[in-house]
Amino acid sequence: MTPETDEDYCMRGHRVPALEPELISDVAYRVCKIIGINKASFKKGKAEKLVSRLENHGIHLDVIEDDEWFDATRATVDPSKGMIYVPNKLYTELCRGKAEAVRIFLHEMGHIVLGHRPLLHFAEAQATLLEDSEWQADYFADAVMDLLKLPRSEAQMEFKF
Ligand SMILES: [Zn+2]
């Protein structure tokens, strides 16, 4: 079953213009190249450097104190402002190079670089996987991790390092 024919597809995020997987992978490649993101960018202690590099490209990270973080989510993003919000706990994990934190961070970055904005839809057609902003952001995060050969989980991480 291909996503295009999956009529029962349930959207996780906003409905956005459909993006083919190849296009998202291409965006991932170009973003890494333009911003200068490589495997070492996510090594222990490198997060600060990465954050300042992202600033130069209009992507800002706002670290919120854990006790001020009321949201149930792990992180949140405002693509129109280029703002990623994370609780201090997640930022600490990112600084330690934890695979899960890296993936969450890349997912939020995906929402920004893929230009996600909720769309008003008058289309009759059922939404598809390729139009789901959450699927697109996940795909972007995985594309970057694969591109940089970053482990996707801690278990894999221990195995590799
Ligand atoms: Zn998301």
Side-chain angles (χ1 to χ4, degrees), residues 41-49 94-97:
S41 307
F42 295 101
K43 278 199 174 147
K44 215 175 184 170
K46 293 287 165 86
E48 242 172 88
K49 222 175 191 178
L94 185 69
C95 292
R96 289 182 184 147

Side-chain angles (χ1 to χ4, degrees), residues 51-128:
V51 168
S52 71
R53 195 170 289 160
L54 289 171
E55 294 265 336
N56 298 334
H57 293 273
I59 298 173
H60 310 281
L61 184 71
D62 197 355
V63 182
I64 313 285
E65 288 303 322
D66 291 331
D67 55 4
E68 286 170 30
W69 186 263
F70 294 116
D71 210 298
T73 55
R74 301 284 312 268
T76 183
V77 65
D78 184 345
S80 64
K81 292 190 181 130
M83 289 294 305
I84 297 172
Y85 305 91
V86 298
N88 194 47
K89 187 174 172 283
L90 189 95
Y91 181 65
T92 305
E93 288 174 9
L94 185 69
C95 292
R96 289 182 184 147
K98 294 266 183 194
E100 206 199 336
V102 169
R103 191 170 185 271
I104 292 169
F105 182 73
L106 288 172
H107 171 105
E108 304 304 346
M109 245 183 84
H111 282 304
I112 295 173
V113 299
L114 297 173
H116 286 161
R117 278 164 192 75
L119 288 180
L120 277 178
H121 256 276
F122 300 100
E124 300 264 306
Q126 177 79 34
T128 67

Side-chain angles (χ1 to χ4, degrees), residues 12 16-20 24 107 110-111 114 116 129-141:
R12 290 189 293 134
V16 293
L19 290 179
E20 293 295 329
I24 299 174
H107 171 105
H111 282 304
L114 297 173
H116 286 161
L129 180 79
L130 302 187
E131 295 173 304
D132 187 344
S133 63
E134 287 310 301
W135 175 82
Q136 290 183 7
D138 275 345
Y139 197 93
F140 173 83

